[in-house]
Amino acid sequence: MLDNEEKIRPSQLIYHSGPGAILDLLDESVMVLAADLWATHGALKDFDKRITKYLKVDHVRILNEQTDKIKVKSVRFPRWKICPKCGIMTTFNNSHCWSCEKAGRGDVKLYPSRFVTVCNFGHISDFPYDKWVHKGGSCDKPSLQLLRSSESGSLSDLAVKCNNCQQIRSLGKIMKPDDEDKHLFDCTNESPWLEKKRTQELENEQPKLCKNTMRTFLRGASNIYSPHVLSFLKVPLTETTGDNPLATILPELEISREEYLDAGDKEKALDRIAKRYHITQNAYVDLERLLMGDDLNVEQSYESIRKQEWNTLSQPYYNETNIQFKSEKIDIHPKLQSYFAAIHRVDSVPEIQVVKGFSRIDYIDRFEEGDVHMNRIIQNPKQNWLPAVQNFGEGIFFVFDARKLALWEQNETITAAIIERYNHQRAEFDNEPLPLMGRHVLLHTFSHALLKELAAHSGYGTTSLKERLYVDSSMHGIFIYTASGDSEGSLGGLTALSKPELLYPIVLRAIERMQYCSSDPNCSDGKFQFNLSANAAACHSCSHVSETSCEWGNQLLDRRTLLNINQNEKFGFFDNLLDE
């Protein structure tokens, strides 16, 4: 709930209505304040060690539990308001035009300014109408008015007039100001979602001046607020793979160290601790050094957490009632056995989504944080927590056959161009290239095809389903699941389709639907001149899903990896499935 008693869904606070975001409410436009300024004392706290260790926080607060005890605070933004009838502009905290009321034109409601200025470091402020109309000069008693020469809505038809000094200036160039006007857009260092005075008291110093130049944006532009949301499955810890075999013990390292050092029989204590965290004997030497206090530079990374999820989901059977996680390996239809090593039905899975921060103008990389400036959403450094939501859902986990996948990668020649294009786009944003493989494109495309088909049969909407991709040299699986804060997340409609006789025709239809697209032949050719993204034979008509469902931003897709849609092609992974 917002401080003006308007309601807002907890999931919105994690995504595009979080701290620092601009919200258009019924009567005004506001900016959500920092999370530690909210009334969240009644919110449930989650101390999951993997999450807190990776995020370096004490806990996360679950916003979608006991929502009646949570109150979100906001501040009016932008401050400039405009009368739609007379054009009078004001920064006073009034909702109706005093000029129209005085002139007898009725009770006219003001609307918030359409424009704001933003810099790459996240500072945001009102558009400087006063400076713009006076070209950086001053006026004793500025009284501004917005003039319209027509109703076209074009910027060139808008102008600002100062009724005191009679200066008038068009808004036609505010998006791309001339060089002589750029000094008007020096960064104001404003962060309205943080209480300025309180922030200076906490930091015990004057804020550092930002030397960036601000740019003009529409108030509702999507790129002035990009939240960085991390998703974690709350699954039991199992033996890890890869470069970090000790990752499972990190969340409770201090407790384990104390247990080991206090033990009389060190050998039995070591064996007991290793078994508890599923650590194999070949890592016993490093484990003992870690428990003795040596720094082995072992860190909890997002990749290690993903591998822990992969290992748990790959187990034949798991039923942890205390965290509401249950999964089971199921039979595979005979015609799918050559493509998949295993399929698992996940009857119950909890997911925690945490918002870590946000960026403005520059989008946060889907694969890694990179050098994009991250704005904090907690004002007081002593408040070491982050807002989150916890959802419960169900899903189906597919593990591709490793041998068939490796053989396909050795022979195919179509994904190299897509990966090269994607890394070229990353270079344009000063991001390092990624060591992507052909399997990234194949599994991602199959995930989208299957997600669309499962939505048609499960009773869930397409936007209610999500993909979770486990892809690298040692992982080769996808998890299609639904997780919602309400009852829709666990209705059972998705796991009911995991039966071999039901799942086989769904997979078959999912592949068949990728054979044709309404944008063919432009789409099927896979030529980049028809596609601005890092995709080949994939577009909105055939392969894209909603942004909330896709982990990689609808990039790295190609229908040609699934089946041969053009003549003389032979790299379709599932092409023989259609002939059976």
Side-chain angles (χ1 to χ4, degrees):
M1 178 183 291
L2 288 166
D3 50 6
N4 61 357
E5 303 303 321
E6 289 201 33
K7 299 285 186 178
I8 186 169
R9 289 174 62 91
S11 58
Q12 292 177 278
L13 293 172
I14 296 299
Y15 283 96
H16 295 288
S17 300
I22 300 175
L23 299 186
D24 284 320
L25 304 181
L26 189 61
D27 295 321
E28 59 182 336
S29 174
V30 299
M31 178 174 288
V32 180
L33 289 177
D36 57 326
L37 300 176
W38 305 349
T40 59
H41 300 294
L44 294 179
K45 299 177 182 179
D46 192 285
F47 297 90
D48 188 294
K49 295 297 184 179
R50 292 182 310 138
I51 299 174
T52 56
K53 184 78 174 180
Y54 172 70
L55 296 175
K56 296 179 174 62
V57 295
D58 295 332
H59 64 275
V60 296
R61 296 190 182 179
I62 308 300
L63 302 180
N64 57 337
E65 299 285 347
Q66 302 181 3
T67 55
D68 56 324
K69 297 181 179 180
I70 299 174
K71 192 171 184 179
V72 178
K73 295 186 178 181
S74 61
V75 62
R76 182 167 62 92
F77 188 86
R79 289 174 286 273
W80 279 108
K81 292 185 177 181
I82 305 168
C83 176
K85 183 169 287 189
C86 68
I88 288 296
M89 304 174 67
T90 180
T91 57
F92 289 109
N93 191 20
N94 53 310
S95 58
H96 293 78
C97 180
W98 62 269
S99 179
C100 288
E101 184 180 358
K102 185 177 180 180
R105 290 190 290 265
D107 195 16
V108 183
K109 190 176 180 180
L110 302 175
Y111 68 89
S113 167
R114 292 168 53 193
F115 306 107
V116 295
T117 55
V118 184
C119 87
N120 288 84
F121 272 19
H123 300 123
I124 185 170
S125 63
D126 285 80
F127 180 81
Y129 292 103
D130 193 0
K131 290 183 179 180
W132 179 261
V133 69
H134 296 109
K135 298 183 179 180
S138 60
C139 180
D140 294 337
K141 296 180 180 180
S143 176
L144 305 188
Q145 181 180 10
L146 184 68
L147 306 177
R148 293 181 178 85
S149 58
S150 72
E151 297 298 328
S152 68
S154 171
L155 283 177
S156 58
D157 295 333
L158 300 177
V160 176
K161 175 184 178 182
C162 178
N163 291 322
N164 183 49
C165 61
Q166 301 302 310
Q167 291 196 50
I168 300 177
R169 193 174 187 190
S170 170
L171 297 180
K173 293 185 176 182
I174 62 173
M175 295 293 184
K176 294 183 178 180
D178 297 330
D179 290 340
E180 61 267 22
D181 291 323
K182 287 187 176 180
H183 69 283
L184 303 178
F185 296 92
D186 291 340
C187 185
T188 59
N189 224 52
E190 287 188 50
S191 302
W193 70 97
L194 305 174
E195 291 183 340
K196 186 175 181 180
K197 182 178 180 181
R198 176 64 175 156
T199 302
Q200 292 181 16
E201 290 175 354
L202 291 169
E203 295 177 350
N204 198 26
E205 61 180 14
Q206 292 297 320
K208 296 179 181 179
L209 294 179
C210 179
K211 297 181 180 180
N212 285 327
T213 299
M214 306 189 87
R215 294 162 54 189
T216 304
F217 289 89
L218 288 172
R219 184 182 78 245
S222 61
N223 61 338
I224 66 172
Y225 186 80
S226 300
H228 185 31
V229 181
L230 295 170
S231 170
F232 304 88
L233 297 184
K234 290 194 67 174
V235 297
L237 296 181
T238 59
E239 179 186 345
T240 57
T241 58
D243 300 329
N244 191 358
L246 302 178
T248 53
I249 197 176
L250 292 180
E252 299 178 354
L253 178 58
E254 295 303 323
I255 299 175
S256 299
R257 274 180 177 168
E258 184 177 348
E259 176 186 349
Y260 180 76
L261 295 175
D262 292 343
D265 191 331
K266 294 289 192 293
E267 185 176 348
K268 287 185 177 180
L270 181 67
D271 188 59
R272 183 173 61 250
I273 293 170
K275 288 181 178 179
R276 182 189 307 155
Y277 296 101
H278 307 280
I279 297 173
T280 56
Q281 287 188 348
N282 57 6
Y284 269 33
V285 175
D286 288 338
L287 174 61
E288 185 175 14
R289 289 178 56 199
L290 191 66
L291 294 173
M292 289 297 294
D294 287 357
D295 184 8
L296 302 181
N297 295 320
V298 180
E299 294 183 358
Q300 183 82 287
S301 66
Y302 198 58
E303 290 73 20
S304 68
I305 292 175
R306 276 299 177 100
K307 287 190 176 183
Q308 292 168 17
E309 294 177 3
W310 158 266
N311 290 325
T312 300
L313 290 172
S314 301
Q315 299 299 311
Y317 180 78
Y318 240 114
N319 187 9
E320 288 283 345
T321 56
N322 59 326
I323 60 172
Q324 300 185 45
F325 176 80
K326 183 181 180 181
S327 68
E328 182 177 3
K329 186 177 180 180
I330 59 176
D331 295 332
I332 305 176
H333 192 279
K335 293 186 177 181
L336 296 179
Q337 289 177 359
S338 62
Y339 301 95
F340 300 105
I343 298 178
H344 299 253
R345 183 185 71 242
V346 183
D347 295 298
S348 176
V349 58
E351 178 194 34
I352 289 186
Q353 295 175 324
V354 185
V355 57
K356 185 179 180 181
F358 68 91
S359 67
R360 301 199 194 275
I361 302 179
D362 295 325
Y363 290 101
I364 297 170
D365 194 342
R366 295 279 181 154
F367 286 90
E368 56 187 11
E369 292 182 11
D371 296 327
V372 175
H373 180 76
M374 187 82 65
N375 295 280
R376 70 179 191 265
I377 60 173
I378 298 292
Q379 178 179 251
N380 188 347
K382 297 180 180 179
Q383 294 286 328
N384 193 23
W385 61 273
L386 289 172
V389 294
Q390 180 170 256
N391 304 317
F392 296 91
E394 54 173 325
I396 306 176
F397 179 56
F398 295 81
V399 180
F400 276 65
D401 185 88
R403 289 185 179 181
K404 186 175 180 65
L405 187 60
L407 182 62
W408 177 83
E409 285 183 308
Q410 291 175 8
N411 297 325
E412 66 89 13
T413 59
I414 56 178
T415 61
I418 305 171
I419 295 172
E420 181 182 359
R421 179 180 174 86
Y422 183 72
N423 279 326
H424 178 72
Q425 289 183 349
R426 292 178 57 83
E428 292 179 351
F429 292 96
D430 298 325
N431 292 324
E432 293 293 326
L434 296 174
L436 300 175
M437 308 163 66
R439 64 181 61 186
H440 285 82
V441 182
L442 169 62
L443 269 67
H444 192 206
T445 308
F446 175 74
S447 174
H448 280 216
L450 188 61
L451 189 149
K452 284 169 167 278
E453 195 63 28
L454 285 172
H457 294 83
S458 64
Y460 292 111
T462 308
T463 55
S464 295
L465 298 183
K466 301 178 184 178
E467 68 178 3
R468 204 167 185 86
L469 304 169
Y470 299 91
V471 191
D472 64 12
S473 59
S474 61
M475 297 191 297
H476 38 87
I478 66 168
F479 182 37
I480 304 297
Y481 70 106
T482 177
S484 174
D486 51 31
S487 59
E488 189 180 353
S490 54
L491 296 176
L494 189 57
T495 53
L497 300 176
S498 62
K499 298 178 181 179
E501 64 273 16
L502 297 178
L503 191 57
Y504 168 66
I506 289 175
V507 173
L508 195 63
R509 281 193 290 267
I511 303 300
E512 287 176 338
R513 289 181 186 275
M514 293 291 104
Q515 193 164 6
Y516 302 103
C517 173
S518 60
S519 297
D520 288 340
N522 288 345
C523 179
S524 61
D525 285 345
K527 296 181 179 179
F528 293 133
Q529 62 262 36
F530 300 117
N531 203 333
L532 298 178
S533 60
N535 294 323
C539 67
H540 283 282
S541 301
C542 59
S543 305
H544 289 193
V545 297
S546 66
E547 287 291 324
T548 55
S549 299
C550 178
E551 280 203 303
W552 294 347
N554 283 311
Q555 302 268 35
L556 299 172
L557 297 168
D558 190 348
R559 291 184 292 139
R560 298 175 302 171
T561 59
L562 300 182
L563 71 169
N564 303 326
I565 59 178
N566 299 316
Q567 292 183 352
N568 302 321
E569 288 184 343
K570 54 181 179 179
F571 303 119
F573 186 83
F574 294 98
D575 198 66
N576 293 333
L577 181 63
L578 303 183
D579 299 331
E580 296 179 2

